[in-house]
């Protein structure tokens, strides 16, 4: 059965920028940089029509980069009348610049030498609004194989790197383009370039703030739920579901019934400590359900990671369904879906291919016939944390590293047993405790221990041991889409290894994972 979706606050309340995605790995970063300026923005696939854009009443449009060549037959394009139909300023970035030049009569050719990495741009005019009050020489980040060899009619070149056309513009048509990526940190003054587009060219004021979001969203939830309906919220202990629950609690109070399930795969004392924070600090109407033995039962002898995930998800639905029926008279389900979840579910190439479909408790709405409330579905993780801070959510939840939905079930390689979970919980706690003790917990995006299906020979005192191996994983990242292994101090790693092998009976070897994403993933399963 189809379900009704109540999303977050409408962008029509705010000045809006539309970003058209042509497949760049940096598209989300463009949106984050725009949001940092207090400007609301949305990402849509490149084939989002001019009519659909106009319906959202944006103040400007940004064309992202992308991996294609505009000379390819199947290259992603906009409609022929796009540039005149949108009626607002346009900023083309990398592929976006080449697309503009190609579509409006310029010439694109393969570069004799692909530009990738650092470059120095020379600004040719002090009168261009895009480079207003910026130096005439800028360090930038390039990533392109084609370049503009002939400008479209009416355009002028405003920047160059040697013989390469690096920026063009047509102020009369409100079109500005750069070949480099202003959104990345490797372009130090990129933020100022984006600010010039937003505030000097699109004439925005910047009215997108966490405080305004909270006020509007609370009122919207009250209106949509009404004075009598009851809402159920599945809490995971993580940032997203907690902030979503806090927003709904602000709106309707005790009519929100939160359920926090212990699946036996949480971190050390996470169920007890987080449940206490929900009740005593946040004053949520929450029920704690210890279903760990039920989860261990369905996971018995399951080794394949995908089968683990499915078994955990199915059992969670059963437990949650039973609790919702016990509560009774529930019409709405709260989920902590974020904006990256939404846009990852929409293929850049169209409706035929989907990267992944996100519902935080997969299948639940269809099975239970509940209407969805997703108050965070327009936000990025960093914005959620800002809003959570304004809502008074405890730092122990707000600054916690990301944790996978299946929990330790995908951090224990091989079959799951309560004994293995206990081993991993103890080792993981030591790792996290020492990150705090050394003052480096917030320097990494995510850190955790993995229990390997490996035993090795060791020696403790005068005795031979044959025990398990644990791998430590710590990465640095901005959004988890790419990640690098964290260069943790050797004395820190020595301290962690010593504590684990000394204090956790059953583990006699500790290794450190130095794999980046890609080619590896952050989690092992």
């Amino acid at each position: 059965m189809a379900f009704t979706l109540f999303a977050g606050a409408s962008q029509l309340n705010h000045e809006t920028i539309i970003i058209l995605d042509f497949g760049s790995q940096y598209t989300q970063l463009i949106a984050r940089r725009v949001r940092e300026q207090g400007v609301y923005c949305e990402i849509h696939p490149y084939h989002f029509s001019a009519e659909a854009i106009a319906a959202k009443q944006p103040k400007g449009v940004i064309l992202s980069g992308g991996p294609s060549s505009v000379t390819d037959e199947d290259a992603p394009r906009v409609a022929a009348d796009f540039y005149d139909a949108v009626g607002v300023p346009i900023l083309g970035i990398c592929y976006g610049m080449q697309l503009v030049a190609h579509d409006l009569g310029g010439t694109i050719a393969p570069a004799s030498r692909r530009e990738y990495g650092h470059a120095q741009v020379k600004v040719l005019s002090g009168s261009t609004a895009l480079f207003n009050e910026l130096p005439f020489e800028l360090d930038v980040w390039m990533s392109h194989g084609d370049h503009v060899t002939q400008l479209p009619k009416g355009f002028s070149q405003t920047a160059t790197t040697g013989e390469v056309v690096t920026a063009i513009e047509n102020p009369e048509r409100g079109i500005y383009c750069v070949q480099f990526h202003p959104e990345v940190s490797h372009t130090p003054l990129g933020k100022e370039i984006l600010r010039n587009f937003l505030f000097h060219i699109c004439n925005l004021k910047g009215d997108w703030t966490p405080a305004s979001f909270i006020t509007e969203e609370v009122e919207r939830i009250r209106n949509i739920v009404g004075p009598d309906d009851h809402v159920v919220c599945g809490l995971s202990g993580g940032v997203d579901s907690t902030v979503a629950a806090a927003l709904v609690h602000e709106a309707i109070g005790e009519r929100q019934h939160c359920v926090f399930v212990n699946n036996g795969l949480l971190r050390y004392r996470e169920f007890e400590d987080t449940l206490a924070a929900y009740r005593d600090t946040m004053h949520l109407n929450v029920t704690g359900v210890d279903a760990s033995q039920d989860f261990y039962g369905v996971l018995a002898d399951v080794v394949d990671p995908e089968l683990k995930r499915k078994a955990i998800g199915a059992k969670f639905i059963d437990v949650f369904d039973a609790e919702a029926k016990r509560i009774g008279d529930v019409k709405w389900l709260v989920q902590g879906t974020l904006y990256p979840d939404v846009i990852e579910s929409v293929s850049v190439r169209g409706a035929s291919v989907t990267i992944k479909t996100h519902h935080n408790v997969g299948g639940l709405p269809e099975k239970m016939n509940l209407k969805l409330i997703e108050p965070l579905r327009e936000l990025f993780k960093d914005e959620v944390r800002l809003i959570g801070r304004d809502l008074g959510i405890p730092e122990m939840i707000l600054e916690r590293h990301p944790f996978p939905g299946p929990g330790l079930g995908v951090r224990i390689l091989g079959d799951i047993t309560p004994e293995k979970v206990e081993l991993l919980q103890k080792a993981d706690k030591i790792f996290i405790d020492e990150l705090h003790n050394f003052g480096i917990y917030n320097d990494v995006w995510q850190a955790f221990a993995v229990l390997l299906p490996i035993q090795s020979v060791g020696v403790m005192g005068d005795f031979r041991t044959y025990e398990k191996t644990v791998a430590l994983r710590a990465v640095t990242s901005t959004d988890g889409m790419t990640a690098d292994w964290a260069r943790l101090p050797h004395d820190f790693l020595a301290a962690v290894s010593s504590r684990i092998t000394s204090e956790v009976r059953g583990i006699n070897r500790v290794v450190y994972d130095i794999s980046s994403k890609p080619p590896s993933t952050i989690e092992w399963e």
Side-chain angles (χ1 to χ4, degrees), residues 455-468:
Q455 288 181 273
S456 64
V457 174
V459 59
M460 290 189 178
D462 294 326
F463 297 95
R464 174 189 183 274
T465 62
Y466 189 60
E467 296 178 337
K468 296 189 180 299

Side-chain angles (χ1 to χ4, degrees), residues 59-63 82-84 86-92 96 100 130 173-177 197 201-202:
K59 300 296 185 182
V61 173
I62 298 176
L63 310 180
F82 171 83
Y83 302 97
D84 294 318
V86 293
V88 293
I90 295 171
L91 173 64
V100 168
L130 197 61
R173 299 187 67 171
I175 302 176
Y176 300 79
C177 302
F197 177 72
I201 295 172
C202 298

Side-chain angles (χ1 to χ4, degrees), residues 461-480:
D462 294 326
F463 297 95
R464 174 189 183 274
T465 62
Y466 189 60
E467 296 178 337
K468 296 189 180 299
T469 300
V470 71
L472 305 180
R473 178 73 157 145
V475 297
T476 57
S477 181
T478 55
D479 51 20

Side-chain angles (χ1 to χ4, degrees), residues 359-421:
H359 290 303
N360 290 358
V361 282
L364 209 55
E366 291 88 343
K367 179 172 182 177
M368 299 172 62
N369 195 27
L370 294 176
K371 294 175 282 188
L372 286 181
I373 299 176
E374 295 182 329
L376 309 179
R377 76 188 319 264
E378 295 174 348
L379 303 180
F380 290 98
K381 176 77 80 173
D382 49 350
E383 293 171 321
V384 171
R385 284 199 168 101
L386 289 173
I387 287 165
R389 199 159 278 118
D390 282 2
L391 289 168
I393 291 175
E395 289 294 314
M396 63 164 285
I397 295 175
L398 211 54
E399 291 301 326
R400 183 178 291 163
H401 289 171
F403 191 61
L408 300 182
V410 291
R411 293 179 179 175
I412 297 173
L413 276 59
D415 65 321
I416 309 296
T417 66
E419 294 75 24
K420 290 181 180 179
V421 170

Side-chain angles (χ1 to χ4, degrees), residues 109-130:
S112 57
R113 180 179 60 85
R114 175 181 171 86
E115 277 196 303
Y116 182 82
H118 291 284
Q120 191 168 72
V121 165
K122 182 178 181 181
V123 178
L124 302 177
S125 170
S127 62
T128 172
L130 197 61

